[in-house]
Amino acid sequence: MGNPALSTEGLLAYCRPGFEPDLAAELSHHAGALGLPVYAKTERGSAFVMLLGAPRETLAESIRLEQLIFARQKYALIDELTDLDIADRVSPVIDALGGKGRYGELSVETPDSDAARPLAGLAKSFGNALRPALRKRGLLTDKPNAKLPQLHVIFLSNRHLLLASSTENDRSPWPMGIPRLKQDSRAPSRSAMKLDEAILCLMTPAERLNLIAAGMQAADLGAAPGGWSWVLAKNQLHVSAIDNGPMSPDALATGLIEHIRADGFHWQPQRPIDWMVCDMVETPSKVAKRMAQWFANGWCRNAIFNLKLPMKKRWEETALCLDLFQSQCGRPVLIRARQLYHDREEITVFVHALK
Ligand SMILES: C[S@@+](CC[C@H](N)C(=O)[O-])C[C@H]1O[C@@H](n2cnc3c(N)ncnc32)[C@H](O)[C@@H]1O
């Protein structure tokens, strides 16, 4: 059971299974820059990383979800409860909370790992048992209240769980940080969901409203078979689809996509355009440099591009490529990068030119 003397409090973040070393390196980098003497604890395939050794408030406030690339979700870690008696898992949770705090919502969940996913049914029934017990002690409001912290109970096995909390302005709005997007059967490729997710997760509602509008001009580098072009056309943008490969007839049937057989590393628009998106499979540094050229030359105001990361040290490569982009883009830009749920060995970057 959780032992306050051996406190496990700190920070907890979810990631894509297999990317724990990258998230651990990223979290350690940020903590190191802040001079926090913390260490990362994780297991490959577990889909989460704990950052331990500093008070959770300090960590939660100084490392925010929006600055993280490999984290899908981020919580303040309250405690770790092990060797639980399956006959009563409610009392240890109540004890661990120590009568402190008042929560506006309870979420009982699992990380997105092979080992923990089958515990989803248990998580649901445990939530039904815990909720009234928390309310009885005044630890949980009767009705959901987003202004108060949310309590998270995370099942790692039927005898092992983590307790954590989050605040409304520093957590993903989606359970486990995974947006549930419905695949549109008309989309020419599954990749279409990557761009849909990027627009949803990397842009604010105001940015979506102001930066994406009917009649805008876009270029899609590495466009075939046309999923991303199709998403842009769905938003009524005119698209130059650059690829030597064939485009799907469904994409071309939108009437808004012009297929141009050319090399995406050489093609450039004749005049500045609103959007450039790029999903070319190439070394990330080569892509980052070309993307920077687009901004340095003022060829586009906004971009969404992928950096493919087939190498081992993916955090280091990511940091290197984003530094490279920033140093070469020649203008003030807003950059947001994230490994999206639909990203496999890659991350997605949104860039908006500020001037
Ligand atoms: C992952 S696929 C793109 C999928 C596309 N985003 C979609 O939604 O359907 C990568 C594409 O990049 C193209 N590609 C790779 N290198 C390229 C280059 N130098 N110029 C143009 N296209 C390139 C390939 O032909 C391939 O069609």
Side-chain angles (χ1 to χ4, degrees):
M1 206 169 296
N3 179 349
L6 296 171
S7 177
T8 48
E9 80 166 278
L11 187 148
L12 169 71
Y14 293 153
C15 61
R16 184 179 180 86
F19 285 72
E20 301 82 9
D22 309 288
L23 176 56
E26 183 180 22
L27 290 170
S28 302
H29 165 84
H30 289 299
L34 293 161
L36 296 168
V38 294
Y39 63 98
K41 187 177 165 195
T42 189
E43 250 174 62
R44 192 176 269 279
S46 65
F48 71 94
V49 175
M50 294 189 277
L51 198 61
L52 306 171
R56 62 176 177 274
E57 289 83 8
T58 311
L59 285 174
E61 279 162 26
S62 41
I63 303 177
R64 299 185 61 80
L65 179 64
E66 66 188 8
Q67 73 190 102
L68 296 173
I69 296 170
F70 289 97
R72 287 178 180 171
Q73 183 60 290
K74 191 209 77 168
Y75 303 143
L77 179 64
I78 300 171
D79 209 346
E80 177 173 14
L81 308 184
T82 57
D83 301 325
L84 290 166
D85 178 353
I86 57 170
D88 178 19
R89 286 173 285 223
V90 170
S91 307
V93 169
I94 303 277
D95 290 349
L97 294 175
K100 278 185 283 175
R102 185 159 164 79
Y103 298 94
E105 181 65 289
L106 168 70
S107 164
V108 186
E109 55 198 61
T110 71
D112 185 29
S113 68
D114 289 344
R117 249 179 258 119
L119 301 165
L122 168 63
K124 192 165 181 216
S125 56
F126 183 72
N128 293 337
L130 182 61
R131 214 165 264 112
L134 290 170
R135 285 196 177 123
K136 200 170 145 197
R137 286 159 186 81
L139 295 165
L140 181 67
T141 52
D142 287 339
K143 286 186 186 156
N145 181 346
K147 299 288 162 236
L148 289 176
Q150 183 165 353
L151 178 65
H152 301 267
V153 177
I154 299 120
F155 271 92
L156 303 181
S157 80
N158 62 356
R159 291 173 180 275
H160 186 183
L161 53 83
L162 302 173
L163 285 183
S165 70
S166 66
T167 50
E168 188 188 25
N169 63 1
D170 190 24
R171 67 167 169 252
S172 161
W174 299 286
M176 297 155 74
I178 302 175
R180 300 284 169 194
L181 296 181
K182 233 178 119 211
Q183 189 171 1
D184 192 321
S185 57
R186 298 162 305 166
S189 69
R190 259 187 71 80
S191 293
M193 290 177 82
K194 279 198 295 187
L195 188 57
D196 272 333
E197 187 185 353
I199 291 170
L200 183 66
C201 297
L202 295 177
M203 297 177 70
T204 64
E207 286 164 351
R208 287 197 287 277
L209 203 68
N210 295 328
L211 303 181
I212 303 176
M216 284 182 166
Q217 301 290 330
D220 181 0
L221 312 180
W228 286 28
S229 293
W230 182 83
V231 169
L232 295 169
K234 192 171 67 171
N235 286 288
Q236 301 302 311
L237 274 71
H238 296 271
V239 189
S240 300
I242 316 302
D243 204 306
N244 280 313
M247 292 289 284
S248 114
D250 287 344
L252 298 175
T254 60
L256 289 168
I257 300 171
E258 182 194 3
H259 183 193
I260 301 173
R261 291 185 188 274
D263 185 333
F265 284 97
H266 291 113
W267 184 87
Q268 67 181 73
Q270 284 168 354
R271 58 190 74 83
I273 56 175
D274 304 286
W275 275 92
M276 178 266 289
V277 298
C278 172
D279 193 19
M280 290 192 287
V281 182
E282 248 301 346
T283 54
S285 56
K286 183 172 173 186
V287 173
K289 279 184 202 159
R290 184 64 182 168
M291 300 296 100
Q293 242 174 3
W294 271 71
F295 281 89
N297 293 330
W299 293 340
C300 66
R301 286 177 51 228
N302 308 290
I304 289 179
F305 58 88
N306 266 187
L307 296 177
K308 315 285 176 187
L309 302 166
M311 63 289 298
K312 275 214 174 95
K313 298 206 163 192
R314 292 175 287 220
W315 156 250
E316 287 80 352
E317 186 67 25
T318 297
L320 210 95
C321 289
L322 292 180
D323 281 353
L324 190 70
F325 174 82
Q326 201 141 22
S327 67
Q328 296 188 4
C329 71
R331 59 178 53 210
V333 288
L334 178 154
I335 304 179
R336 294 195 197 110
R338 177 81 45 87
Q339 184 178 38
L340 303 172
Y341 177 67
H342 292 94
D343 283 338
R344 290 171 189 255
E345 293 213 312
E346 63 201 329
I347 60 157
T348 303
V349 185
F350 163 61
V351 182
H352 170 59
L354 295 169
K355 277 187 197 160

